[in-house]
Amino acid sequence: SYGGKLDVTKDTLISSKNYKKALEYSTGFTGLNIDYGIVPFKSFAIKPGVGIGWGSLELETYQTENNFDWDGFKSQSDQNNFINRAESSFIFVKPNISFEYALTNYLLIRANASYAMTFGYDWKYNNTATLNNVPDDLNSNGMQIQIGVFVGLFNF
């Protein structure tokens, strides 16, 4: 499982009151990855593979007064204080390739590149309504690059 979130906020003035407008974009992936290891020489491995699974994409927009009193909290929004949520689940296929070099039995360097291709979006608006006409480019497709050092505690 892995995912990410991006928040963007902006202060604005409406009817002489300070408001905060915000956009939150988040996505998450859960699935299975299968790799095949090729060892062209000692301590070095090339591992092509593919990941498959499911995920979610959520987009929230909201606007709220910077200071708010509990007595104003209610189940319906008004024109100046609101929250809107669009969300969808999807399936993904993610081909990848890793290059690994074992420095010692307990220390490994890895570089990985992959590209997530997502399908089957089923958009909902505020958890209750079907959301239609969502642009196709609002998705979780994208390139991922990782570089890391792995330290092992045990060698079996």
Side-chain angles (χ1 to χ4, degrees), residues 8 31 46 57 67 72 75 96 109 112 115 125 129-130 145:
V8 179
I46 302 169
L57 177 59
N67 294 303
S75 63
N96 65 76
I109 297 173
N112 175 279
Y115 188 85
Y125 178 70
T130 300
I145 296 174

Side-chain angles (χ1 to χ4, degrees), residues 43 101-109 149-153:
S43 301
Y101 185 75
L103 298 171
T104 70
N105 287 342
Y106 300 99
L107 190 61
L108 172 82
I109 297 173
V149 176
F150 295 85
V151 178
L153 300 177

Side-chain angles (χ1 to χ4, degrees), residues 10-21:
K10 176 184 175 185
D11 290 320
T12 188
L13 189 65
I14 301 173
S15 302
S16 71
K17 290 185 181 178
N18 291 319
Y19 285 82
K20 188 169 296 284
K21 291 183 174 186

Side-chain angles (χ1 to χ4, degrees), residues 31-37 47-52 94-98:
L32 174 69
N33 199 67
I34 300 170
D35 293 334
Y36 180 77
K47 294 172 47 180
V50 65
I52 56 172
K94 188 179 74 149
N96 65 76
I97 188 161
S98 295

